[in-house]
């Protein structure tokens, strides 16, 4: 089963920390891939928070096509980060021509437009790039969004981290999602690698999503062009998050009520039982049927973990004030945040949704059953 | 003769039970001249003699052909008589005696394997995640009958950090039910004992077992006492083109203690598309005449279409609105159509109608109490592809959760009720209806796809299921029927769980989970857009 490691910190840190945590959970992933999403960037991107960053992989041909395309769209390159590729003998990674992390200036036409217009443009542009590069595999575009970088590659996570030179020249960030992939039923494909990103929201998941096909079909019919891809059955979790938050505008805690609705008699304990009943019916197609542990990040940088009732071994959330980890295994957390008070660890159970806001001062646990929130102050 | 009666002279004691019980007069007492070898003296002196003996004879008149029901065998104390299927029979060439096309009850005479029975459940969670335990995990095997609003239109607003109702008064009514329903079979078509048994079974399942099984009345209303009982909520009232029974229903509305589960508007029936209901005069006894509001002993033929409506917009939309108004928009109202290539036209029309609660499509393998053989055998569309096509169309327009589809016609044809229902659900149905299955399982209906029995139209049902003759329906114990109805649904509930568990589905019905299905026929796989496995 895939291994998940999210870290939220008050200070910038290197994504290598996530990778080393994944290394401790090694028996769970088979080295078939590493996916990283970095948010709230520091280092050379610290002063570029408003500029959208394109994260992509391309062949040489794709690289030039992409350049031309971006110019034709009116995007001007602002800054470019290049990984210091370190392909040591013995590494099983297949090096690709270009790893692109590039910040752009908005085209003049949209510069002064409201954020919604910019957001749409960024998404549509990413989809166009994806479509452009898909037939011949010349470009893979993972995210195109301000203050977000995505890195993905097939191979053992530690090797991939070193390959990208993250141990020597990392991009520091305050939120980093990392997933060590356990390739299961679908072919190894870069687009199938978690975390998945859509318009400022991202998720990574482990476990099998048995309700994948109906969920995918439902999302595909919502009229959102970005609900596509689905090379992995876990991609739908990101899109559901987007649908619930961006499309329906529901508060974040309802994500849990959508993907794992309460049984009808259980709802009665919630003040908004009537609303929940309607939600459950209308969003029935988005009910997941796990077992899944989902770690996600909302647009505002709130990171959360939820799982369904069938997830027999829950993930863990814990840390110290200013640094919290959300992981699929405890050993990963111990590696990433040493010296934490384990009494404050949270193992979200079937009704819990654990949330960590930017700054990582505390862990909030929303109880789906009674609607209460417990806050754990970290020392 | 489709069935030849084998009678054993040596075993027969001439008690006469078989001839008196035969529902079609296929056997009668007869005399034969017989050559016997006798020896009567003190020493053996065998001689042959010719004697006239009494016995049982099969009638050769095609109108009294043996239908293979084997009731004679059932009553014979000496195992001296039985019908035998004659695969070389020429019955079909002679059935149109007197210029009258052959009419009968029952099902399509096709003993072949149905598409539903070809489908296999092939997606089994194994290593990445262990399969569920059907006996121990919590399962929710329920479905919605009624229109689910698209989430964007939910009457909710955000207050603080919570979603609350915004006070919009109309929310389409939705019932949460067990995904297998008992399809429409009318009082009148069914005997009082059969109907009572089904009703008791359904009530018990709901009240005691907490399994929300609903049953449709078929066209013909309901006994007034039941209409005014608190059990009405377990029944779907059907209105069809003859409006039989609706006078009584409308008059009972002010006295109803609860709302019915739903209203089904029957536009078509899979067994006989294009035909209206037909209740033969022989079955229109006093109590039936009263419930239906008609004279006794007349043929009750419903028109093929709803006569007051002309276009699809009127036929469907107006009728749905008027039926909704009757119950103040508190009851889901949906049409039932026979499987047809034009189902999509109806579907698209319904998808745009905010009051349409669902659509039931009845495939060619549905049953009926009376129809022309040619309609039964040759008209209609198989359910699997028709349902799938409709579901995929809803997916295309993004309304698969708004308008639930129910599939009927041949569910449990070969005895696999739960498996057929599960297959339909995974093809996109929100639930499935059964009729013939429950008649066979709960009351021992003898009919089969070799045209066995199938004399439901004559009022002479040998099991007492489709007759109004007290002498016949006395044979059926309503308590036993009820008990079997309960057995059937409890078992189906367990079987559904047994099917869904290995596929890792327990919290929601796997509607449209087509990746769980496979079939070993390439063409079927392509048509249903499922995988091919062999
Ligand atoms: S099998 Fe039925 S129809 Fe045939 S002779 Fe016996 S009782 Fe009559
Ligand atoms: S047993 Fe009765 S219901 Fe069944 S086929 Fe015969 S006549 Fe019809």
């Amino acid at each position: 089963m895939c291994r998940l490691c999210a870290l939220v910190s008050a200070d910038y840190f290197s994504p290598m920390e996530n990778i080393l945590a994944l290394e401790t959970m090694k028996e769970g992933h088979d080295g078939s891939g590493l996916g990283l999403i970095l948010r709230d960037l520091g280092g050379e991107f610290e002063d570029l928070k408003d500029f959208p960053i394109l994260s992509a992989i391309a062949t040489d041909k794709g690289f030039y096509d992409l350049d031309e395309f971006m110019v034709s769209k009116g995007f001007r390159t602002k800054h470019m980060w290049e990984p210091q590729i370190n392909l040591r003998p013995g590494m099983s990674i297949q090096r690709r021509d270009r790893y692109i992390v590039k910040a752009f200036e908005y085209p003049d036409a949209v510069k002064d437009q409201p954020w919604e217009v910019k957001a749409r443009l960024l998404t549509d542009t990413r989809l166009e790039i994806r479509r452009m590069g898909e037939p011949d595999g010349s470009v893979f575009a993972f995210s195109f969004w301000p203050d977000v970088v995505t890195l993905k590659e097939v191979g053992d996570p530690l090797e991939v981290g070193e390959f990208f030179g993250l141990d020597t020249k990392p991009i520091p960030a305050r939120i980093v999602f990392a997933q060590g992939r356990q390739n299961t039923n679908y072919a190894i494909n870069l687009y199938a690698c978690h975390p998945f990103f859509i318009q400022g929201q991202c998720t990574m998941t482990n476990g099998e999503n048995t309700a994948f096909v109906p969920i995918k079909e439902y999302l595909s019919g919502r009229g959102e062009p970005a609900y596509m891809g689905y090379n992995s059955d876990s991609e739908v979790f990101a899109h559901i998050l987007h649908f619930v938050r961006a499309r329906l505008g529901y508060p974040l805690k309802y994500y849990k009520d959508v993907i794992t609705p309460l049984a009808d008699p259980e709802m009665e304990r919630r003040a908004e039982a009537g609303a929940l009943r309607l939600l459950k019916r209308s969003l029935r197609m988005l009910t997941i049927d796990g077992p899944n542990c989902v770690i996600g990040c909302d647009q505002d940088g709130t990171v959360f973990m939820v799982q369904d009732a069938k997830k027999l071994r829950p993930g863990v959330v814990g840390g110290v004030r200013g640094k919290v980890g959300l992981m699929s295994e405890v050993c990963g957390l111990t590696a990433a945040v040493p010296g934490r008070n384990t009494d404050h660890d949270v193992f979200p159970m079937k009704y819990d949704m654990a949330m960590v806001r930017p700054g990582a001062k505390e862990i909030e646990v929303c109880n789906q059953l009674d609607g209460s929130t417990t806050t754990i102050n970290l020392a | 003769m489709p069935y030849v009666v084998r009678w054993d002279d040596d075993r027969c004691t001439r008690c006469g039970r078989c001839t008196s019980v035969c529902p079609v007069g296929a056997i009668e007492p007869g005399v034969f001249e017989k050559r016997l070898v006798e020896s009567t003296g003190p020493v053996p002196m065998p001689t042959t003699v010719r004697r006239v003996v009494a016995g049982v004879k099969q009638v050769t008149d095609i109108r009294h052909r043996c239908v293979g029901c084997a009731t004679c065998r059932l009553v014979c104390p000496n195992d001296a008589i039985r019908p035998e299927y004659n695969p070389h029979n020429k019955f079909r060439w002679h059935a149109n005696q007197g210029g009258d096309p052959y009419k009968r009850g029952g099902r399509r005479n096709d003993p072949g394997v149905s598409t539903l029975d070809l489908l296999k459940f092939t997606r089994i969670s194994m290593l990445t995640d262990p399969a569920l335990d059907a006996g121990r995990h919590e399962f929710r095997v329920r479905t919605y009958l009624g229109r689910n609003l698209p989430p964007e239109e939910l009457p909710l607003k955000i207050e603080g950090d919570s979603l609350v109702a915004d006070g919009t008064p109309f929310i389409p009514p939705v019932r949460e039910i067990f995904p297998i329903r008992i399809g429409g079979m009318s009082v009148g078509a069914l005997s009082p004992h059969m109907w009572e048994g089904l009703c008791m079974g359904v009530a018990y399942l709901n009240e005691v077992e907490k399994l929300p099984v609903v049953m449709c009345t078929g066209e013909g209303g309901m006994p007034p006492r039941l209409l005014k009982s608190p059990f009405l909520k377990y029944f779907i009232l059907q209105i069809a083109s003859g409006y039989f029974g609706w006078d009584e229903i409308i008059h009972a509305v002010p006295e109803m203690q609860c709302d019915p589960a739903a209203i089904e508007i029957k536009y078509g029936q899979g067994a006989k598309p294009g035909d209206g209901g037909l209740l033969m005069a022989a079955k229109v006894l006093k109590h039936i005449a009263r419930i239906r509001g008609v004279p006794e002993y007349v043929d009750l033929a419903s028109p093929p279409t709803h006569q007051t409506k002309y276009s699809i917009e009127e036929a469907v939309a107006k009728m749905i609105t008027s039926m909704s108004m009757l119950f103040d928009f508190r009851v889901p109202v949906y049409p039932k159509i026979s499987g047809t290539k034009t189902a999509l036209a109806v579907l698209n029309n319904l998808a745009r109608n905010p009051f349409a609660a669902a659509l039931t499509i009845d495939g060619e393998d549905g049953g009926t109490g009376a129809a022309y053989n040619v309609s039964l055998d040759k008209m209609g569309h198989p359910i699997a592809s028709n349902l799938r096509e409709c579901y995929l169309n809803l997916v295309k327009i993004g309304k698969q959760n708004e308008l639930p589809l129910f599939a009927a016609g041949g569910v449990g044809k070969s005895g696999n009720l739960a498996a057929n229902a599960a297959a339909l659900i995974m093809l996109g149905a929100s639930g499935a209806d059964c009729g013939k299955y429950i008649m066979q399982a709960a009351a021992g209906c003898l009919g089969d796809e070799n045209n066995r029995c199938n004399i439901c139209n004559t009022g002479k049902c040998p099991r007492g299921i489709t007759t109004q003759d007290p002498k016949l329906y006395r044979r059926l114990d309503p308590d036993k029927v009820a008990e079997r109805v309960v057995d059937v649904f409890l078992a189906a509930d367990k079987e559904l769980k047994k099917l869904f568990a290995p596929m890792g589905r327990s919290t929601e019905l796997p509607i449209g989970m087509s990746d769980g299905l496979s079939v070993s026929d390439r063409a079927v796989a392509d048509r249903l857009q499922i995988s091919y496995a062999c």
Side-chain angles (χ1 to χ4, degrees):
Chain A
M1 204 177 296
C2 300
R3 294 301 189 238
L4 313 173
C5 163
L7 282 171
V8 187
S9 167
D11 306 312
Y12 295 114
F13 62 95
S14 160
M16 212 53 207
E17 291 187 24
N18 294 62
I19 295 171
L20 290 171
L22 280 181
E23 186 61 14
T24 67
M25 314 185 224
K26 198 163 179 169
E27 59 290 12
H29 55 78
D30 63 0
S32 61
L34 168 73
L36 284 173
I37 286 188
L38 287 60
R39 300 185 53 148
D40 199 349
L41 307 173
E44 53 202 87
F45 287 99
E46 192 166 359
D47 299 326
L48 301 171
K49 298 234 180 229
D50 290 333
F51 298 93
I53 302 166
L54 176 68
S55 304
I57 293 180
T59 58
D60 282 329
K61 171 189 169 292
F63 181 75
Y64 296 116
D65 290 350
L66 182 62
D67 242 10
E68 220 168 277
F69 173 79
M70 293 306 274
V71 170
S72 76
K73 288 274 160 186
F75 286 101
R76 280 189 305 275
T77 308
K78 178 85 184 163
H79 179 77
M80 192 167 154
W81 175 86
E82 268 187 297
Q84 287 187 331
I85 298 292
N86 170 14
L87 187 59
R88 284 197 321 269
M91 280 186 175
S92 56
I93 299 163
Q94 296 270 322
R95 186 196 164 137
R96 293 170 217 251
D97 297 348
R98 305 281 181 149
Y99 296 93
I100 303 161
V101 176
K102 228 181 201 185
F104 287 91
E105 272 183 68
Y106 285 105
D108 293 338
V110 294
K111 222 174 207 145
D112 302 316
Q113 298 278 337
W115 165 238
E116 289 71 38
V117 178
K118 288 181 182 159
R120 192 71 257 165
L121 174 72
L122 295 181
T123 309
D124 291 345
T125 309
R126 174 176 63 85
L127 296 177
E128 250 181 279
I129 299 170
R130 178 170 177 163
R131 272 192 297 274
M132 193 175 88
E134 213 149 38
D136 57 355
S138 59
V139 188
F140 291 88
F142 305 118
S143 62
F144 186 31
W145 205 255
D147 214 15
V148 173
V149 164
T150 308
L151 294 173
K152 291 183 181 180
E153 190 46 279
V154 176
D156 174 75
L158 189 59
E159 282 186 9
V160 173
E162 288 168 0
F163 167 77
F164 280 134
L166 295 177
D167 47 344
T168 52
K169 190 197 161 202
I171 303 177
R174 287 202 182 103
I175 301 172
V176 176
F177 274 45
Q179 193 229 26
R181 195 148 185 269
Q182 167 75 39
N183 190 51
T184 49
N185 28 4
Y186 300 94
I188 297 186
N189 173 327
L190 280 176
Y191 280 130
C193 194
H194 310 223
F196 298 102
F197 178 84
I198 175 170
Q199 296 208 326
Q201 274 137 343
C202 65
T203 62
M204 54 184 178
T205 316
N206 68 12
E208 186 178 3
N209 177 9
T210 49
F212 172 56
V213 167
I215 296 178
K216 173 185 85 171
E217 287 179 343
Y218 185 77
L219 288 167
S220 308
R222 294 309 95 199
E224 167 56 64
Y227 294 165
M228 50 86 76
Y230 304 121
N231 302 79
S232 155
D233 62 6
S234 294
E235 193 160 9
V236 298
F237 295 101
H239 296 178
I240 299 174
L241 178 64
H242 178 267
F243 187 65
V244 169
R245 298 284 292 134
R247 274 285 284 277
L248 300 177
Y250 295 165
L252 181 59
K253 65 176 179 190
Y254 290 99
Y255 181 61
K256 172 105 178 108
D257 288 307
V258 170
I259 61 170
T260 62
L262 291 172
D264 285 19
E266 292 173 332
M267 285 178 187
E268 300 310 322
R269 290 172 60 180
R270 291 271 293 274
E272 67 272 54
L276 292 180
R277 213 166 296 122
L278 289 176
L279 271 198
K280 181 175 170 179
R281 279 187 213 151
S282 289
L283 295 166
R284 158 168 63 161
M285 289 294 180
L286 298 183
T287 304
I288 65 163
D289 220 333
N292 292 118
C293 169
V294 184
I295 301 177
C297 182
D298 200 10
Q299 229 156 19
D300 67 354
T302 302
V303 177
F304 63 86
M305 179 190 281
V306 279
Q307 35 215 3
D308 67 305
K310 281 181 266 176
K311 189 80 195 168
L312 297 179
R313 199 184 48 173
V316 58
V317 183
V320 296
R321 196 174 176 81
K323 189 154 198 181
V324 174
L326 300 90
M327 315 254 170
S328 56
E329 329 296 311
V330 179
C331 57
L333 186 58
T334 306
V337 195
R340 74 187 195 284
N341 180 354
T342 50
D343 292 352
H344 289 163
D345 284 357
V346 175
F347 296 86
M349 293 292 170
K350 97 186 221 198
Y351 297 118
D352 300 328
M353 180 166 188
M355 296 190 201
V356 182
R357 312 241 174 230
K361 293 196 186 69
E362 53 201 21
I363 302 169
E364 290 162 50
V365 183
C366 299
N367 184 298
Q368 189 190 10
L369 198 55
D370 57 16
S372 66
T373 302
T374 312
T375 305
I376 297 159
N377 264 308
L378 297 170
Chain B
M1 288 290 161
Y3 286 89
V4 177
V5 179
R6 300 280 176 219
W7 170 70
D8 192 337
D9 182 11
D10 296 338
R11 301 187 71 98
C12 179
T13 56
R14 279 71 177 167
C15 70
R17 291 185 199 185
C18 56
T19 50
S20 63
V21 86
C22 176
V24 291
I27 40 176
E28 57 186 19
V31 282
F32 317 93
E33 192 189 355
K34 225 175 161 190
R35 183 176 164 272
L36 296 170
V37 180
E38 273 184 356
S39 171
T40 45
V43 283
M45 286 282 286
T47 51
T48 55
V49 291
R50 288 186 173 274
R51 281 260 172 78
V52 171
V53 294
V56 176
K57 238 167 77 181
Q58 179 167 10
V59 177
T60 49
D61 179 355
I62 196 84
R63 275 174 281 222
H64 291 281
R65 75 194 191 283
C66 167
V67 295
C69 70
T71 315
C72 49
R73 183 172 197 190
L74 205 70
V75 296
C76 177
N78 303 308
D79 202 11
I81 191 164
R82 71 196 148 84
E84 198 177 278
Y85 180 60
N86 170 16
H88 309 293
N89 77 80
K90 292 279 182 186
F91 170 64
R92 235 180 292 137
W93 284 260
H94 302 284
N96 49 7
Q97 297 293 313
D100 220 8
Y102 173 39
K103 289 193 230 67
R104 62 182 178 88
R107 71 277 285 137
R108 195 167 68 93
N109 282 328
D110 175 3
V113 180
S114 73
T115 306
L116 295 181
D117 276 318
L118 290 176
L119 302 183
K120 297 199 168 62
F121 305 93
T122 45
R123 190 186 194 286
I124 295 118
S125 295
M126 286 258 111
L127 293 177
T128 52
D129 289 296
L132 301 174
D133 182 334
R136 261 179 286 184
H137 268 91
E138 235 175 79
F139 279 81
R140 183 171 173 273
V141 184
R142 297 288 183 272
T143 195
Y144 295 123
L145 168 57
R147 199 174 182 101
N148 291 311
L149 286 175
E152 292 88 349
E153 286 171 29
L154 279 179
L156 300 174
K157 59 179 179 196
I158 299 158
E159 257 179 30
D161 203 19
S162 287
L163 281 173
V164 290
D166 72 0
T168 305
F170 175 68
I171 298 170
V174 175
R175 309 279 190 252
E176 194 182 284
I177 60 170
F178 186 70
I180 304 177
R181 314 182 295 185
I182 300 183
M185 293 180 285
S186 69
V187 178
L190 297 186
S191 69
H193 280 190
M194 182 63 187
W195 224 73
E196 204 184 322
L198 291 179
C199 295
M200 286 194 294
V202 166
Y204 184 92
L205 283 165
N206 278 277
E207 306 260 320
V208 181
E209 300 291 346
K210 304 293 172 216
L211 204 64
V213 175
V214 294
M215 140 176 183
C216 178
T217 60
E219 183 188 19
M222 244 174 128
R225 268 180 50 210
L226 204 49
L227 276 173
K228 297 170 199 163
S229 76
F231 304 115
L232 179 63
K233 55 180 174 289
Y234 310 136
F235 293 86
I236 297 169
L237 299 177
Q238 189 187 76
I239 183 162
S241 53
Y243 302 161
F244 292 124
W246 276 79
D247 200 37
E248 196 72 53
I249 293 176
I250 287 170
H251 281 101
V253 169
E255 293 170 67
M256 284 180 184
Q257 294 187 42
C258 60
D259 290 327
I263 308 288
E264 179 174 280
I265 307 173
K266 187 182 97 175
Y267 288 100
Q269 193 174 338
K272 45 176 174 180
D275 270 353
L278 179 60
L279 190 66
M280 306 300 263
K283 290 168 92 171
V284 187
L285 271 76
K286 195 168 159 199
H287 61 283
I288 301 300
R290 230 193 88 210
I291 294 174
R292 295 198 173 203
V294 293
E296 292 171 39
Y297 299 111
V298 289
D299 274 347
L300 297 182
S302 300
T305 58
H306 290 252
Q307 296 294 298
T308 48
K309 318 280 171 184
Y310 297 101
S311 67
I312 184 171
E313 287 78 13
E314 281 188 284
V316 183
K318 279 194 179 170
M319 190 101 179
I320 289 175
T321 319
S322 12
M323 296 313 295
S324 301
M325 272 161 64
L326 175 64
F327 291 97
D328 220 3
F329 295 91
R330 292 188 314 265
V331 175
V333 179
Y334 68 89
K336 164 172 154 174
I337 58 168
S338 51
T340 158
K341 281 185 179 172
T342 58
L344 278 183
V346 181
L347 181 77
N348 286 325
N349 193 278
L350 295 179
R352 289 192 298 270
N353 179 347
F355 300 114
L359 172 65
T360 295
I361 305 171
D362 191 10
E364 61 169 355
D365 276 322
T368 177
Y372 283 95
N373 180 67
V374 69
S375 305
L376 270 163
D377 277 0
K378 296 296 171 201
M379 288 295 298
H381 197 296
I383 187 61
S385 64
N386 214 204
L387 178 271
R388 183 75 178 142
E389 199 170 38
C390 285
Y391 179 76
L392 290 175
N393 191 61
L394 286 175
V395 167
K396 205 167 5 153
I397 58 174
K399 289 187 186 241
Q400 67 268 49
N401 189 46
E402 284 174 48
L403 192 75
L405 296 171
F406 285 82
V411 182
K413 178 179 174 181
S414 311
N416 307 311
L417 178 67
N420 289 176
L424 283 164
I425 288 167
M426 293 171 66
L427 289 175
S430 280
D433 288 0
C434 67
K436 294 188 308 291
Y437 180 91
I438 204 81
M439 290 168 70
Q440 294 172 75
C445 161
L446 303 159
D448 74 8
E449 282 74 17
N450 281 321
N451 205 20
R452 184 178 179 206
C453 199
N454 289 348
I455 52 168
C456 333
N457 59 323
T458 61
K460 298 257 162 46
C461 171
R463 299 305 258 177
I465 304 167
T466 52
T467 173
Q468 300 302 331
D469 181 348
K471 283 209 290 290
L472 294 175
Y473 68 68
R474 237 182 12 221
R475 294 176 187 170
L476 201 62
D477 179 349
D479 288 331
K480 290 261 159 55
V481 173
E483 226 175 280
R484 287 293 297 145
V485 169
V486 173
D487 288 350
V488 163
F489 279 92
L490 291 183
D493 184 41
K494 282 199 194 105
E495 281 192 348
L496 285 177
K497 288 174 187 167
K498 272 315 263 186
L499 289 169
F500 297 154
M503 291 191 284
R505 297 303 305 267
S506 62
T507 37
E508 258 307 335
L509 212 56
I511 297 171
M513 187 190 163
S514 51
D515 58 329
L517 291 175
S518 296
V519 64
S520 59
D521 180 316
R522 227 328 143 208
V524 174
D526 289 349
R527 185 76 178 90
L528 298 180
Q529 299 188 25
I530 59 174
S531 66
Y532 167 78
C534 59

